[in-house]
Every structure is written in structure tokens, then in C-alpha cells.
Amino acid sequence: MKSEHFIKLALNTAQKSNSKFRLGAVLVKKGKVLSWSPNQMDKTHPIQQKFSRMPFTIGLHAEVGCCLGVGLGDLENASVYVARVLKNGETALARPCQGCEGFLRHVKVKE
């Protein structure tokens, strides 16, 4: 099943995160990977600031990071797979935070 491949890629991407919350996101459209990104605490972006629900945002969330550099037309109807490495080293699927959910809706990522 293709979705399992994308989930594994998101998990592998999460392993590369330098964040306390180790997440990885993979952006997919029509069965092809467009981009991927881990949470990155050493980077930020104005889009992250705009959609954040916190008064300050430290770092770049994986969901926003994987959309940067992808054309808006390519984002529309794309899917994002988000996975997480837990504190005990186990892995799990994850949901975007409220700010990232708002951003993904804004750029018309479907799920």
C-alpha cells in the first residue's frame, strides 16, 4: 500500500528532527512525493509566525517546512503525512497543530 510508504518516509524524516517534538511531514500529490521536512528548531519563516497560535514561535514546523518552495498550484489537493518519534523512541502518526492546520487549509492541502 502506497500510504504505508509515505508514512515510513515521514517517520524517517522525523528521526532527523532537532526539536524536542520530533515530527516529520511528507507532502504527496497524485502518488508522488513533492517534498518532506522535519521540525527544525534552528530555522523559522514568516508563514510560521503568521499561522502560529502562540505569541511566539520557535522553529519551523514540519508541515510548513515541507510546503515551502512548492508552488501553490501544486499544494492544492495534495496530502500531508505527519509522523512523530515519541520520547521513548517509539513512533506514531501525528496531527498538525492548530496553526499548521490553518496554514494547510489556507493553501488547500486536502488532508
Side-chain angles (χ1 to χ4, degrees), residues 24-52:
V26 176
L27 187 68
V28 177
K29 186 170 182 179
K30 296 181 181 175
K32 293 184 182 181
V33 174
L34 299 178
S35 183
W36 62 88
S37 177
N39 274 4
Q40 300 174 67
M41 293 299 93
D42 56 344
K43 293 185 178 181
T44 191
H45 194 278
I47 289 173
Q48 186 72 60
Q49 297 289 331
K50 179 179 178 180
F51 286 92
S52 178

Side-chain angles (χ1 to χ4, degrees), residues 6-96:
F6 301 135
I7 292 167
K8 284 182 182 178
L9 183 54
L11 290 169
N12 289 339
T13 302
Q15 297 282 354
K16 297 174 180 150
S17 174
N18 62 4
S19 170
K20 177 181 173 183
F21 304 104
R22 297 174 63 199
L23 277 85
V26 176
L27 187 68
V28 177
K29 186 170 182 179
K30 296 181 181 175
K32 293 184 182 181
V33 174
L34 299 178
S35 183
W36 62 88
S37 177
N39 274 4
Q40 300 174 67
M41 293 299 93
D42 56 344
K43 293 185 178 181
T44 191
H45 194 278
I47 289 173
Q48 186 72 60
Q49 297 289 331
K50 179 179 178 180
F51 286 92
S52 178
R53 301 282 193 228
M54 296 181 274
F56 64 90
T57 300
I58 299 171
L60 182 63
H61 291 196
E63 301 90 337
V64 173
C66 75
C67 292
L68 296 176
V70 177
L72 285 177
D74 289 328
L75 292 173
E76 189 170 346
N77 294 318
S79 298
V80 66
Y81 293 83
V82 184
R84 174 178 196 158
V85 178
L86 304 172
K87 288 180 185 179
N88 64 5
E90 292 183 23
T91 57
L93 295 179
R95 291 183 57 105

